[in-house]
Amino acid sequence: MDSKYYLTWEEYLAEHPELEDKPTQAIAPKIQKYEDAMFVFIMDLLL
Amino acid sequence: MTDAVTMTNERNQLFRDLFSGKTPKRVPVSNPATQDFAIQYAGLDLAECQWDLTKLEPVYDKFCQDFFTDTYPGGSIRIPSHYQLLGSTPIVMSSSGFMQHPEVVGLLAEEYDEFIASPYDCIVEKVLPRLFTELNGAPGKVAMSLAKAMRAQSDDLAYLGTIRAKMNAKYGYAGMIGALTEAPFDFMADFLRSFKGISGDVRRYPDKVAAACDAVLPLMIKKGTLPNPSMLGYTFIPLHMAPYLRDKDFATLYWPTFKKLVETMASMGQNVQLFVEQDWMRYLDYLYELPENTIMRFEYGDAKLVKEKLGKKHIISGFYPITLLQTGTKQQCIDKAKELLDILAPGGKYWFQADKSVINFEAKGPVAENMSAVLEYVHENGTY
Protein backbone atom coordinates (compact mmCIF):
# COMPACT_ATOMS: atom_id res chain seq x y z
CA MET A 1 0.00 0.00 0.00
CA ASP A 2 1.55 3.27 -1.11
CA SER A 3 0.62 5.84 1.55
CA LYS A 4 2.30 8.40 3.74
CA TYR A 5 0.00 7.21 6.58
CA TYR A 6 1.00 3.55 6.46
CA LEU A 7 4.57 2.32 6.57
CA THR A 8 5.95 -1.16 6.32
CA TRP A 9 8.74 -1.97 8.76
CA GLU A 10 11.32 -1.50 6.01
CA GLU A 11 9.94 1.95 5.20
CA TYR A 12 9.84 2.83 8.90
CA LEU A 13 13.40 1.70 9.42
CA ALA A 14 14.56 3.78 6.47
CA GLU A 15 13.06 6.84 8.17
CA HIS A 16 14.59 5.89 11.55
CA PRO A 17 18.23 4.93 10.97
CA GLU A 18 18.86 5.32 14.72
CA LEU A 19 17.25 1.87 15.11
CA GLU A 20 19.70 0.01 12.88
CA ASP A 21 21.98 -1.05 15.73
CA LYS A 22 19.06 -1.88 18.02
CA PRO A 23 17.34 -5.32 18.38
CA THR A 24 15.26 -4.90 15.26
CA GLN A 25 13.95 -8.47 15.48
CA ALA A 26 12.10 -7.38 18.64
CA ILE A 27 11.22 -3.89 17.46
CA ALA A 28 9.89 -4.75 13.99
CA PRO A 29 6.82 -6.80 15.02
CA LYS A 30 5.84 -4.23 17.64
CA ILE A 31 6.03 -1.26 15.27
CA GLN A 32 4.23 -3.20 12.54
CA LYS A 33 1.51 -4.31 14.97
CA TYR A 34 0.53 -0.73 15.79
CA GLU A 35 0.81 0.35 12.15
CA ASP A 36 -1.67 -2.40 11.28
CA ALA A 37 -3.88 -1.66 14.31
CA MET A 38 -4.27 1.94 13.18
CA PHE A 39 -5.09 0.81 9.64
CA VAL A 40 -7.81 -1.53 10.93
CA PHE A 41 -9.21 1.17 13.23
CA ILE A 42 -9.39 3.72 10.40
CA MET A 43 -11.00 1.28 7.98
CA ASP A 44 -13.48 0.06 10.60
CA LEU A 45 -14.77 3.63 10.83
CA LEU A 46 -15.87 3.33 7.20
CA LEU A 47 -17.45 -0.15 7.36
CA MET B 1 -12.40 -32.92 29.89
CA THR B 2 -15.35 -30.72 30.87
CA ASP B 3 -18.70 -30.91 29.09
CA ALA B 4 -18.12 -27.42 27.64
CA VAL B 5 -14.72 -28.40 26.20
CA THR B 6 -16.26 -31.52 24.70
CA MET B 7 -19.03 -29.43 23.16
CA THR B 8 -16.50 -26.94 21.74
CA ASN B 9 -14.54 -29.80 20.18
CA GLU B 10 -17.70 -31.27 18.66
CA ARG B 11 -18.83 -27.91 17.34
CA ASN B 12 -15.39 -27.09 15.95
CA GLN B 13 -15.57 -30.38 14.07
CA LEU B 14 -19.02 -29.46 12.67
CA PHE B 15 -17.57 -26.29 11.18
CA ARG B 16 -14.30 -27.89 10.04
CA ASP B 17 -16.39 -30.41 8.13
CA LEU B 18 -18.77 -27.78 6.80
CA PHE B 19 -16.07 -25.38 5.62
CA SER B 20 -14.01 -28.15 3.99
CA GLY B 21 -16.97 -29.48 2.04
CA LYS B 22 -17.60 -32.63 4.10
CA THR B 23 -21.06 -33.43 5.43
CA PRO B 24 -21.00 -32.67 9.17
CA LYS B 25 -22.68 -34.79 11.85
CA ARG B 26 -25.58 -32.33 11.89
CA VAL B 27 -26.54 -28.94 10.49
CA PRO B 28 -24.69 -26.20 12.42
CA VAL B 29 -26.96 -23.56 13.93
CA SER B 30 -26.42 -19.85 14.66
CA ASN B 31 -28.75 -17.70 16.74
CA PRO B 32 -29.76 -14.70 14.58
CA ALA B 33 -30.35 -12.33 17.49
CA THR B 34 -27.82 -9.62 18.30
CA GLN B 35 -26.45 -7.92 21.40
CA ASP B 36 -29.20 -5.29 21.05
CA PHE B 37 -31.82 -8.01 21.35
CA ALA B 38 -30.00 -9.64 24.28
CA ILE B 39 -29.92 -6.38 26.27
CA GLN B 40 -33.64 -5.78 25.77
CA TYR B 41 -34.40 -9.45 26.50
CA ALA B 42 -32.64 -9.03 29.86
CA GLY B 43 -34.91 -6.05 30.58
CA LEU B 44 -32.10 -3.49 30.59
CA ASP B 45 -31.68 -0.11 28.94
CA LEU B 46 -30.13 -0.45 25.48
CA ALA B 47 -28.19 2.81 25.45
CA GLU B 48 -26.89 2.49 29.01
CA CYS B 49 -25.61 -1.06 28.50
CA GLN B 50 -23.68 -0.13 25.36
CA TRP B 51 -21.92 2.62 27.29
CA ASP B 52 -21.46 0.59 30.50
CA LEU B 53 -20.26 -2.79 29.25
CA THR B 54 -19.89 -4.13 32.79
CA LYS B 55 -23.65 -4.75 32.69
CA LEU B 56 -23.32 -7.14 29.76
CA GLU B 57 -22.00 -10.33 31.34
CA PRO B 58 -25.32 -11.35 32.93
CA VAL B 59 -27.06 -10.21 29.75
CA TYR B 60 -25.03 -12.67 27.69
CA ASP B 61 -25.33 -15.40 30.28
CA LYS B 62 -29.14 -15.32 30.13
CA PHE B 63 -29.08 -15.02 26.34
CA CYS B 64 -26.78 -18.04 25.99
CA GLN B 65 -28.77 -20.08 28.50
CA ASP B 66 -32.15 -19.50 26.83
CA PHE B 67 -31.36 -19.87 23.10
CA PHE B 68 -29.56 -22.77 21.44
CA THR B 69 -26.68 -21.91 19.15
CA ASP B 70 -23.38 -23.47 18.02
CA THR B 71 -21.62 -20.12 17.63
CA TYR B 72 -21.21 -17.29 20.11
CA PRO B 73 -24.25 -15.04 19.73
CA GLY B 74 -24.17 -11.27 19.68
CA GLY B 75 -20.99 -9.28 19.62
CA SER B 76 -20.84 -5.76 18.24
CA ILE B 77 -18.52 -3.54 16.23
CA ARG B 78 -20.79 -0.52 16.68
CA ILE B 79 -19.78 0.43 20.22
CA PRO B 80 -20.82 4.04 20.89
CA SER B 81 -17.84 5.37 22.87
CA HIS B 82 -15.31 5.81 20.08
CA TYR B 83 -17.93 7.12 17.64
CA GLN B 84 -18.91 9.76 20.20
CA LEU B 85 -15.28 10.73 20.86
CA LEU B 86 -14.75 11.24 17.13
CA GLY B 87 -17.93 13.25 16.55
CA SER B 88 -19.25 10.60 14.17
CA THR B 89 -21.88 11.47 11.58
CA PRO B 90 -22.03 8.13 9.66
CA ILE B 91 -22.75 6.04 12.77
CA VAL B 92 -24.93 7.60 15.47
CA MET B 93 -27.01 6.33 18.36
CA SER B 94 -30.75 6.87 17.92
CA SER B 95 -33.02 8.03 20.76
CA SER B 96 -34.02 4.39 21.27
CA GLY B 97 -30.39 3.30 21.69
CA PHE B 98 -29.82 1.58 18.32
CA MET B 99 -26.64 2.47 16.42
CA GLN B 100 -27.75 3.73 13.00
CA HIS B 101 -26.12 4.65 9.69
CA PRO B 102 -27.61 7.74 8.04
CA GLU B 103 -26.89 8.48 4.38
CA VAL B 104 -23.59 10.43 4.27
CA VAL B 105 -21.15 11.63 1.61
CA GLY B 106 -17.50 11.30 2.65
CA LEU B 107 -16.00 11.76 -0.81
CA LEU B 108 -17.08 14.41 -3.32
CA ALA B 109 -17.41 13.51 -7.00
CA GLU B 110 -14.63 15.94 -7.91
CA GLU B 111 -12.28 14.08 -5.54
CA TYR B 112 -12.34 10.78 -7.46
CA ASP B 113 -8.96 11.42 -9.11
CA GLU B 114 -7.32 12.17 -5.78
CA PHE B 115 -8.86 9.02 -4.30
CA ILE B 116 -7.73 6.89 -7.26
CA ALA B 117 -4.17 8.23 -6.96
CA SER B 118 -3.87 7.30 -3.26
CA PRO B 119 -7.02 5.96 -1.59
CA TYR B 120 -5.70 5.67 1.97
CA ASP B 121 -4.19 9.16 1.95
CA CYS B 122 -7.46 10.55 0.60
CA ILE B 123 -9.42 8.72 3.31
CA VAL B 124 -7.23 10.20 6.04
CA GLU B 125 -7.05 13.72 4.60
CA LYS B 126 -10.50 14.23 3.05
CA VAL B 127 -13.02 11.58 4.05
CA LEU B 128 -12.44 11.26 7.79
CA PRO B 129 -12.43 15.02 8.53
CA ARG B 130 -15.68 15.36 6.58
CA LEU B 131 -17.45 12.52 8.41
CA PHE B 132 -15.99 12.86 11.94
CA THR B 133 -16.15 16.37 13.37
CA GLU B 134 -13.35 15.80 15.91
CA LEU B 135 -10.97 14.85 13.08
CA ASN B 136 -11.50 18.23 11.44
CA GLY B 137 -9.55 20.93 13.22
CA ALA B 138 -6.19 21.80 14.71
CA PRO B 139 -3.63 18.96 14.42
CA GLY B 140 -3.21 18.73 18.20
CA LYS B 141 -6.95 18.38 18.79
CA VAL B 142 -7.25 15.79 16.01
CA ALA B 143 -4.36 13.76 17.46
CA MET B 144 -5.91 13.81 20.94
CA SER B 145 -9.33 12.79 19.63
CA LEU B 146 -7.89 9.94 17.59
CA ALA B 147 -5.85 8.68 20.54
CA LYS B 148 -8.86 8.76 22.90
CA ALA B 149 -11.12 7.03 20.39
CA MET B 150 -8.68 4.27 19.56
CA ARG B 151 -8.02 3.62 23.24
CA ALA B 152 -11.77 3.54 23.94
CA GLN B 153 -12.45 1.06 21.16
CA SER B 154 -9.52 -1.10 22.22
CA ASP B 155 -10.75 -1.18 25.84
CA ASP B 156 -14.33 -1.95 24.79
CA LEU B 157 -13.35 -4.74 22.41
CA ALA B 158 -11.07 -6.25 25.04
CA TYR B 159 -13.91 -6.22 27.58
CA LEU B 160 -16.34 -7.81 25.13
CA GLY B 161 -13.63 -10.37 24.36
CA THR B 162 -13.43 -11.43 28.01
CA ILE B 163 -17.21 -11.92 28.11
CA ARG B 164 -17.03 -13.96 24.93
CA ALA B 165 -14.25 -16.14 26.37
CA LYS B 166 -16.29 -16.77 29.52
CA MET B 167 -19.41 -17.70 27.55
CA ASN B 168 -17.41 -19.96 25.23
CA ALA B 169 -15.90 -21.70 28.26
CA LYS B 170 -19.31 -22.13 29.90
CA TYR B 171 -21.48 -23.01 26.90
CA GLY B 172 -18.95 -24.74 24.65
CA TYR B 173 -19.35 -22.75 21.45
CA ALA B 174 -17.25 -23.27 18.35
CA GLY B 175 -14.04 -21.26 18.42
CA MET B 176 -14.68 -19.08 15.40
CA ILE B 177 -12.71 -15.96 14.49
CA GLY B 178 -13.57 -13.45 11.81
CA ALA B 179 -12.45 -10.40 9.89
CA LEU B 180 -14.68 -7.87 8.15
CA THR B 181 -14.26 -6.26 4.78
CA GLU B 182 -16.39 -5.09 1.86
CA ALA B 183 -16.65 -5.46 -1.90
CA PRO B 184 -14.80 -2.44 -3.34
CA PHE B 185 -17.94 -1.07 -5.02
CA ASP B 186 -19.89 -1.29 -1.74
CA PHE B 187 -17.06 0.45 0.08
CA MET B 188 -17.21 3.30 -2.42
CA ALA B 189 -20.99 3.53 -1.94
CA ASP B 190 -21.61 3.09 1.78
CA PHE B 191 -19.67 5.87 3.53
CA LEU B 192 -17.92 7.58 0.62
CA ARG B 193 -20.30 8.41 -2.24
CA SER B 194 -23.64 7.33 -0.64
CA PHE B 195 -26.41 5.29 -2.25
CA LYS B 196 -27.67 8.31 -4.20
CA GLY B 197 -24.19 9.51 -5.15
CA ILE B 198 -22.85 6.21 -6.49
CA SER B 199 -26.11 5.59 -8.36
CA GLY B 200 -25.47 8.79 -10.34
CA ASP B 201 -21.74 8.08 -10.68
CA VAL B 202 -22.26 4.79 -12.53
CA ARG B 203 -23.95 6.79 -15.29
CA ARG B 204 -21.87 9.97 -15.19
CA TYR B 205 -18.37 8.65 -14.45
CA PRO B 206 -18.29 4.86 -14.87
CA ASP B 207 -14.55 4.89 -15.68
CA LYS B 208 -13.77 6.71 -12.44
CA VAL B 209 -15.94 4.31 -10.41
CA ALA B 210 -14.12 1.34 -11.97
CA ALA B 211 -10.72 2.94 -11.31
CA ALA B 212 -11.69 3.73 -7.70
CA CYS B 213 -12.73 0.10 -7.14
CA ASP B 214 -9.38 -1.07 -8.55
CA ALA B 215 -7.51 1.43 -6.37
CA VAL B 216 -9.25 0.45 -3.15
CA LEU B 217 -9.07 -3.32 -3.70
CA PRO B 218 -5.66 -3.73 -1.93
CA LEU B 219 -7.12 -1.97 1.14
CA MET B 220 -10.14 -4.28 1.13
CA ILE B 221 -7.86 -7.31 0.88
CA LYS B 222 -5.68 -6.09 3.73
CA LYS B 223 -8.71 -5.28 5.89
CA GLY B 224 -10.19 -8.74 5.34
CA THR B 225 -7.01 -10.68 6.03
CA LEU B 226 -6.91 -12.64 9.27
CA PRO B 227 -3.56 -12.59 11.12
CA ASN B 228 -3.53 -16.39 11.07
CA PRO B 229 -5.90 -17.99 8.56
CA SER B 230 -7.41 -21.18 9.95
CA MET B 231 -10.18 -23.63 9.13
CA LEU B 232 -12.36 -22.01 11.82
CA GLY B 233 -11.80 -18.46 10.66
CA TYR B 234 -13.61 -16.56 7.96
CA THR B 235 -13.74 -13.17 6.33
CA PHE B 236 -17.25 -11.72 6.49
CA ILE B 237 -18.30 -9.62 3.48
CA PRO B 238 -21.78 -8.04 3.57
CA LEU B 239 -22.94 -7.28 0.02
CA HIS B 240 -25.08 -4.20 -0.54
CA MET B 241 -25.39 -2.52 -3.92
CA ALA B 242 -25.53 -5.23 -6.59
CA PRO B 243 -29.33 -5.69 -6.58
CA TYR B 244 -29.72 -1.98 -7.33
CA LEU B 245 -27.46 -2.06 -10.42
CA ARG B 246 -28.25 -2.77 -14.06
CA ASP B 247 -26.77 -6.08 -15.24
CA LYS B 248 -24.15 -4.35 -17.39
CA ASP B 249 -23.05 -2.09 -14.53
CA PHE B 250 -22.79 -5.09 -12.22
CA ALA B 251 -20.66 -6.92 -14.79
CA THR B 252 -18.23 -4.05 -15.36
CA LEU B 253 -18.20 -2.11 -12.10
CA TYR B 254 -19.13 -4.45 -9.22
CA TRP B 255 -18.13 -7.97 -10.14
CA PRO B 256 -14.46 -7.76 -11.27
CA THR B 257 -12.95 -6.39 -8.05
CA PHE B 258 -15.38 -8.29 -5.81
CA LYS B 259 -14.38 -11.56 -7.50
CA LYS B 260 -10.68 -10.70 -7.11
CA LEU B 261 -11.25 -9.97 -3.42
CA VAL B 262 -12.90 -13.35 -2.75
CA GLU B 263 -10.36 -15.23 -4.86
CA THR B 264 -7.47 -13.56 -3.03
CA MET B 265 -8.93 -14.47 0.37
CA ALA B 266 -9.42 -18.08 -0.76
CA SER B 267 -5.89 -18.28 -2.17
CA MET B 268 -4.57 -17.34 1.30
CA GLY B 269 -6.45 -20.29 2.80
CA GLN B 270 -9.22 -18.15 4.29
CA ASN B 271 -12.90 -19.03 4.31
CA VAL B 272 -15.19 -16.30 3.06
CA GLN B 273 -18.74 -15.74 4.26
CA LEU B 274 -20.85 -13.50 2.02
CA PHE B 275 -24.00 -11.92 3.39
CA VAL B 276 -25.94 -11.83 0.13
CA GLU B 277 -28.28 -8.98 0.98
CA GLN B 278 -31.55 -8.30 -0.87
CA ASP B 279 -32.26 -10.47 -3.93
CA TRP B 280 -29.34 -11.80 -6.01
CA MET B 281 -31.26 -14.38 -8.04
CA ARG B 282 -30.24 -12.78 -11.36
CA TYR B 283 -26.57 -13.10 -10.36
CA LEU B 284 -26.46 -16.79 -9.39
CA ASP B 285 -24.28 -17.72 -12.38
CA TYR B 286 -21.73 -15.16 -11.23
CA LEU B 287 -21.78 -16.48 -7.65
CA TYR B 288 -21.17 -19.98 -8.98
CA GLU B 289 -17.80 -18.80 -10.33
CA LEU B 290 -16.44 -17.97 -6.87
CA PRO B 291 -13.96 -20.37 -5.20
CA GLU B 292 -15.38 -23.68 -3.96
CA ASN B 293 -16.94 -23.66 -0.47
CA THR B 294 -17.57 -19.94 -0.37
CA ILE B 295 -20.20 -19.46 2.36
CA MET B 296 -23.27 -17.60 1.07
CA ARG B 297 -25.90 -16.38 3.51
CA PHE B 298 -28.92 -15.28 1.49
CA GLU B 299 -31.54 -12.74 2.49
CA TYR B 300 -34.22 -13.19 -0.18
CA GLY B 301 -34.73 -15.43 -3.18
CA ASP B 302 -35.60 -18.97 -4.21
CA ALA B 303 -33.93 -21.46 -1.85
CA LYS B 304 -34.64 -24.40 -4.18
CA LEU B 305 -33.04 -22.64 -7.15
CA VAL B 306 -30.01 -21.67 -5.07
CA LYS B 307 -29.55 -25.23 -3.81
CA GLU B 308 -29.85 -26.56 -7.34
CA LYS B 309 -27.46 -24.06 -8.95
CA LEU B 310 -24.93 -23.44 -6.17
CA GLY B 311 -25.45 -26.12 -3.49
CA LYS B 312 -22.97 -28.67 -4.82
CA LYS B 313 -20.12 -26.18 -4.97
CA HIS B 314 -20.80 -23.62 -2.23
CA ILE B 315 -22.05 -23.57 1.36
CA ILE B 316 -25.57 -22.16 1.58
CA SER B 317 -27.10 -20.36 4.54
CA GLY B 318 -29.76 -17.79 5.40
CA PHE B 319 -33.25 -17.59 3.87
CA TYR B 320 -35.08 -18.13 7.20
CA PRO B 321 -37.41 -15.07 7.34
CA ILE B 322 -37.15 -13.44 10.75
CA THR B 323 -40.39 -11.53 10.12
CA LEU B 324 -42.18 -14.86 10.54
CA LEU B 325 -40.94 -14.98 14.15
CA GLN B 326 -43.02 -11.85 14.74
CA THR B 327 -46.09 -12.70 12.65
CA GLY B 328 -46.34 -16.51 12.74
CA THR B 329 -47.47 -19.09 15.29
CA LYS B 330 -44.87 -21.35 16.86
CA GLN B 331 -45.95 -24.19 14.55
CA GLN B 332 -45.72 -22.00 11.45
CA CYS B 333 -42.20 -20.96 12.47
CA ILE B 334 -41.15 -24.59 12.98
CA ASP B 335 -42.77 -25.61 9.68
CA LYS B 336 -40.71 -22.99 7.87
CA ALA B 337 -37.52 -24.31 9.48
CA LYS B 338 -38.49 -27.84 8.39
CA GLU B 339 -39.16 -26.64 4.84
CA LEU B 340 -35.71 -25.05 4.61
CA LEU B 341 -34.01 -28.08 6.17
CA ASP B 342 -35.72 -30.32 3.59
CA ILE B 343 -34.53 -28.10 0.73
CA LEU B 344 -31.06 -27.08 1.85
CA ALA B 345 -29.67 -29.77 4.16
CA PRO B 346 -29.50 -32.81 1.80
CA GLY B 347 -25.90 -33.48 0.79
CA GLY B 348 -24.48 -31.16 3.46
CA LYS B 349 -23.06 -27.70 2.73
CA TYR B 350 -25.80 -26.01 4.79
CA TRP B 351 -25.52 -23.75 7.85
CA PHE B 352 -28.73 -22.63 9.55
CA GLN B 353 -28.77 -18.86 9.83
CA ALA B 354 -31.66 -16.44 9.35
CA ASP B 355 -32.13 -14.00 6.48
CA LYS B 356 -31.06 -11.11 8.69
CA SER B 357 -30.34 -10.27 12.32
CA VAL B 358 -32.99 -9.93 15.04
CA ILE B 359 -32.29 -6.66 16.84
CA ASN B 360 -35.57 -5.69 18.50
CA PHE B 361 -37.32 -7.42 21.40
CA GLU B 362 -40.87 -6.76 22.61
CA ALA B 363 -41.61 -8.23 26.02
CA LYS B 364 -45.18 -9.13 25.05
CA GLY B 365 -44.33 -10.24 21.51
CA PRO B 366 -43.81 -13.81 20.25
CA VAL B 367 -40.26 -13.48 18.84
CA ALA B 368 -38.28 -14.93 21.76
CA GLU B 369 -40.51 -17.99 22.15
CA ASN B 370 -40.72 -18.63 18.40
CA MET B 371 -36.98 -18.16 17.91
CA SER B 372 -36.18 -20.55 20.74
CA ALA B 373 -38.53 -23.17 19.23
CA VAL B 374 -36.94 -22.84 15.78
CA LEU B 375 -33.35 -23.09 17.07
CA GLU B 376 -34.23 -26.18 19.14
CA TYR B 377 -36.05 -27.75 16.20
CA VAL B 378 -33.10 -27.36 13.84
CA HIS B 379 -30.69 -28.62 16.50
CA GLU B 380 -32.78 -31.73 17.15
CA ASN B 381 -33.81 -32.47 13.56
CA GLY B 382 -30.74 -31.43 11.59
CA THR B 383 -28.82 -34.68 12.07
CA TYR B 384 -27.42 -36.32 8.93
Side-chain angles (χ1 to χ4, degrees), chain A residues 1-6 32 34-47, chain B residues 78 86 118 120-121 123-125 128 131-132 146 150 153 182 187 191 219-220 222-223:
Chain A
M1 183 167 58
D2 185 17
S3 169
K4 58 188 164 208
Y5 299 106
Y6 180 89
Q32 196 67 62
Y34 292 112
E35 198 76 44
D36 287 334
M38 180 56 81
F39 171 80
V40 170
F41 179 76
I42 294 293
M43 296 303 290
D44 270 340
L45 293 176
L46 301 175
L47 292 175
Chain B
R78 305 273 195 241
L86 291 172
S118 184
Y120 195 57
D121 289 0
I123 285 169
V124 172
E125 293 173 358
L128 295 182
L131 296 181
F132 297 88
L146 190 61
M150 195 168 170
Q153 191 213 36
E182 275 196 317
F187 182 79
F191 286 64
L219 275 65
M220 297 295 97
K222 183 170 176 56
K223 179 64 180 65

Side-chain angles (χ1 to χ4, degrees), chain B residues 70-377:
Chain B
D70 290 313
T71 55
Y72 179 67
S76 176
I77 61 164
R78 305 273 195 241
I79 314 167
S81 56
H82 69 284
Y83 290 111
Q84 179 65 37
L85 288 163
L86 291 172
S88 169
T89 61
I91 299 290
V92 292
M93 184 181 273
S94 71
S95 57
S96 54
F98 291 100
M99 300 302 286
Q100 297 189 322
H101 169 41
E103 173 97 327
V104 293
V105 176
L107 181 78
L108 304 181
E110 55 267 33
E111 292 168 340
Y112 261 114
D113 288 342
E114 191 177 339
F115 183 88
I116 291 162
S118 184
Y120 195 57
D121 289 0
C122 186
I123 285 169
V124 172
E125 293 173 358
K126 293 286 168 66
V127 176
L128 295 182
R130 191 169 285 135
L131 296 181
F132 297 88
T133 60
E134 299 304 308
L135 297 181
N136 186 5
K141 180 183 145 236
V142 169
M144 292 288 186
S145 297
L146 190 61
K148 284 184 280 187
M150 195 168 170
R151 174 62 190 261
Q153 191 213 36
S154 176
D155 287 351
D156 286 349
L157 290 177
Y159 195 84
L160 291 176
T162 62
I163 296 175
R164 180 182 181 131
K166 284 181 186 175
M167 297 302 125
N168 282 349
K170 184 171 179 181
Y171 294 98
Y173 297 128
M176 312 275 270
I177 54 166
L180 171 69
T181 191
E182 275 196 317
F185 187 97
D186 287 331
F187 182 79
M188 293 309 301
D190 285 354
F191 286 64
L192 272 60
R193 293 293 298 130
S194 79
F195 185 98
K196 185 181 171 190
I198 200 87
S199 300
D201 294 349
V202 298
R203 288 168 170 78
R204 291 189 197 104
Y205 334 104
D207 293 347
K208 289 188 190 297
V209 174
C213 289
D214 282 334
V216 85
L217 175 63
L219 275 65
M220 297 295 97
I221 291 170
K222 183 170 176 56
K223 179 64 180 65
T225 302
L226 287 161
N228 300 300
S230 78
M231 188 45 85
L232 290 174
Y234 61 79
T235 299
F236 183 68
I237 309 178
L239 307 177
H240 296 151
M241 291 298 296
Y244 306 100
L245 295 176
R246 295 174 295 185
D247 289 357
K248 74 180 182 73
D249 293 331
F250 174 83
T252 55
L253 301 178
Y254 193 102
W255 178 251
T257 49
F258 167 53
K259 183 168 183 261
K260 271 186 208 163
L261 173 67
V262 178
E263 287 174 343
T264 305
M265 295 289 128
S267 71
M268 290 190 284
Q270 288 193 206
N271 302 305
V272 174
Q273 180 176 182
L274 308 177
F275 186 13
V276 189
E277 297 187 35
Q278 241 289 332
D279 188 337
W280 277 60
M281 292 306 104
R282 65 189 157 114
Y283 300 131
L284 293 184
D285 291 338
Y286 285 95
L287 291 175
Y288 184 82
E289 290 178 31
L290 293 175
E292 189 175 9
N293 292 324
T294 299
I295 307 155
M296 301 178 184
R297 177 186 175 192
F298 285 87
E299 184 173 11
Y300 303 127
D302 182 341
K304 277 185 188 162
L305 182 64
V306 168
K307 181 70 173 177
E308 183 187 311
K309 292 193 98 164
L310 305 180
K312 286 189 174 58
K313 182 175 182 184
H314 298 304
I315 297 159
I316 309 301
S317 186
F319 283 120
Y320 190 92
I322 61 164
T323 50
L324 187 63
L325 301 172
Q326 177 72 31
T327 60
T329 64
K330 190 191 288 188
Q331 192 56 50
Q332 286 171 328
C333 292
I334 289 171
D335 288 347
K336 187 67 185 178
K338 180 177 187 311
E339 177 191 320
L340 287 172
L341 270 181
D342 289 344
I343 295 168
L344 295 170
K349 291 186 181 261
Y350 175 49
W351 175 3
F352 182 86
Q353 298 188 95
D355 65 342
K356 54 180 83 63
S357 298
V358 181
I359 62 169
N360 198 26
F361 170 75
E362 295 172 3
K364 291 179 182 168
V367 172
E369 189 180 348
N370 286 343
M371 188 168 76
S372 176
V374 166
L375 295 170
E376 289 295 341
Y377 177 85

